[in-house]
Amino acid sequence: MTIAMSFSRWRRAASLCAVGALAALFGLSGPVDAAEATRYPLTLQNCGVPIRFDQAPKRAVSIGQSSTEILLSLGLADRIVGTAVWVGPVLKPFEAANAKIKRLADNDPSFEAVVGQAPDLVTAQFEWHVGANGSVGKREQFAGLGVPTYLSPSDCVEKDNSGSGDGVRARMFTMDLVYQEIRELAQIFDVNDRGEALVAQLRQREAAAVATVAGKAKDVPVLFWFSSKDVKGDAFVAGRNGAPAYILSTLGARNVIATNEEWPLIGWEGIAAANPAVIVIATMDRRRYAADDPAVKRAFLTSDPVASKLEAVRQNRIVLMDAQSMNPTIRTIDGIEALAAGIASFGMAR
């Protein structure tokens, strides 16, 4: 046996062990097909920009909680040298690993803080952080320093981020974009088996959640309330093509908001006219806006003369959902599970 063959078999065995550990961690059942190793140099098209890797990155900075949690889910904690933009606590299985990673900022880090970590890859959840008008930096700025940037396909595929808001989608988000991100990051880091295991686990969970309501949530009108700059002012609610729309479509429920904007600001008089039967409110640790606190949202709903008359409020059909589940992330599956459980508990799926 040659040394090369011996190393190849050792590497294959190590990869299978990692996949097994990932499957056990997330409760994955059933076999996962083996994936081929990455061949370098690797070039990918990412949000219209070619990115090249001569080897697997060793020093990644992830800007956006979802980007970080995907890397952690792929078993890449030892490759992350900095994170930023956090809405809430990290997923529980990764608390210990994440605690050892440098947090550059809870919100937007500076360009200098990012490049100061000497990264060989920067990942970003949102284009407004790393994009044409990136608040952290432009892709060209990083490229000029020889640092490739990877943006989540969920935030660029058939989505226009050129305006001042959260963007406008031309087509409904689907989890396929998150699965694309998982697989591409797994390819970049040469952990393809782990990527396939993670995608399989998420698909299994989605199917199980849908089965709990078995299509019986059909046409239930739902509102997703993320936050508000002013508690008594207009609310940031989910438009018809974002992650909440996907959650609703999988369960057969419907969104009471019809705009293509990702998170339009809507007045409560307009919401009252739609009269949702269920209201989903975001929970988060972030306190950027007045209504970030879910307790503040609940107090408003029961005290405001308009909101308190909504069917969902009168019947106490309120579902608490982690804010990250309302964004296109691996936690969107958590959102499907939470809403399915809520609708079932309200006796609406019978």
Side-chain angles (χ1 to χ4, degrees):
M1 180 184 295
T2 66
I3 294 177
M5 287 179 63
S6 178
F7 177 76
S8 175
R9 291 185 180 181
W10 172 86
R11 182 181 180 186
R12 174 65 178 152
S15 179
L16 289 174
C17 286
V19 172
L22 180 66
L25 181 65
F26 286 103
L28 176 66
S29 61
V32 177
D33 292 337
E36 293 185 3
T38 300
R39 296 180 181 179
Y40 300 100
L42 170 69
T43 299
L44 296 175
Q45 289 290 329
N46 173 243
C47 295
V49 175
I51 50 176
R52 175 187 165 112
F53 300 89
D54 293 322
Q55 62 181 359
K58 295 182 174 63
R59 299 182 60 82
V61 170
S62 54
I63 302 171
Q65 186 167 344
S66 176
S67 295
T68 302
E69 290 181 336
I70 288 176
L71 294 177
L72 290 171
S73 297
L74 291 172
L76 298 168
D78 61 333
R79 310 287 186 91
I80 308 172
V81 296
T83 70
V85 186
W86 288 84
V87 177
V90 71
L91 287 166
K92 275 202 166 294
F94 309 118
E95 287 177 345
N98 187 62
K100 299 175 183 177
I101 299 171
K102 184 174 184 179
R103 183 170 294 197
L104 306 181
D106 288 339
N107 294 306
D108 298 9
S110 67
F111 179 78
E112 292 74 19
V114 174
V115 299
Q117 307 312 306
D120 52 8
L121 170 65
V122 172
T123 67
Q125 180 178 351
F126 297 114
E127 192 175 6
W128 76 63
H129 290 130
V130 179
N133 300 300
S135 62
V136 177
K138 298 180 180 180
R139 300 190 80 171
E140 310 90 81
Q141 287 178 276
F142 288 105
L145 297 175
V147 180
T149 52
Y150 180 91
L151 301 187
S152 170
S154 301
D155 201 52
C156 69
V157 174
E158 295 203 45
K159 182 168 184 269
D160 180 5
N161 295 311
S162 61
S164 58
D166 294 303
V168 177
R169 290 188 186 273
R171 184 179 67 177
M172 183 187 295
F173 157 81
T174 74
M175 281 298 293
D176 286 341
L177 293 174
V178 174
Y179 300 150
Q180 176 185 340
E181 180 175 4
I182 291 170
R183 287 178 167 128
E184 288 180 343
L185 287 172
Q187 186 180 18
I188 289 168
F189 284 91
D190 193 17
V191 290
N192 297 290
D193 285 348
R194 300 181 204 177
E196 292 305 317
L198 180 57
V199 169
Q201 178 266 333
L202 292 170
R203 288 189 186 279
Q204 284 185 8
R205 286 178 52 201
E206 178 176 347
V210 171
T212 64
V213 294
K216 295 176 183 177
K218 184 174 176 58
D219 291 332
V220 172
V222 181
L223 174 81
F224 280 77
W225 181 18
F226 194 89
S227 190
S228 303
K229 294 179 180 179
D230 177 351
V231 179
K232 297 182 179 179
D234 293 351
F236 285 111
V237 296
R240 67 178 181 179
N241 285 333
Y246 179 76
I247 292 172
L248 293 171
S249 70
T250 61
L251 299 178
R254 65 179 173 86
N255 196 342
V256 298
I257 304 300
T259 177
N260 287 349
E261 291 180 59
E262 190 85 339
W263 291 102
L265 275 169
I266 305 292
W268 285 97
E269 291 78 8
I271 293 170
N275 196 24
V278 176
I279 295 178
V280 183
I281 62 177
T283 65
M284 66 190 87
D285 283 359
R286 188 193 77 174
R287 294 295 182 264
R288 178 180 294 181
Y289 295 137
D292 283 353
D293 187 341
V296 171
K297 293 188 184 77
R298 275 188 171 277
F300 169 82
L301 289 174
T302 55
S303 62
D304 181 76
V306 174
S308 62
K309 299 212 171 23
L310 296 173
E311 178 186 348
V313 178
R314 289 187 288 104
Q315 299 295 329
N316 196 27
R317 295 179 187 147
I318 308 295
V319 175
L320 297 177
M321 185 179 292
D322 180 83
Q324 280 293 82
S325 299
M326 295 189 185
N327 284 322
T329 67
I330 57 175
R331 293 200 191 199
T332 299
I333 301 300
D334 296 357
I336 295 173
E337 292 170 337
L339 184 56
I343 289 176
S345 72
F346 300 146
M348 304 178 76
R350 56 180 182 271

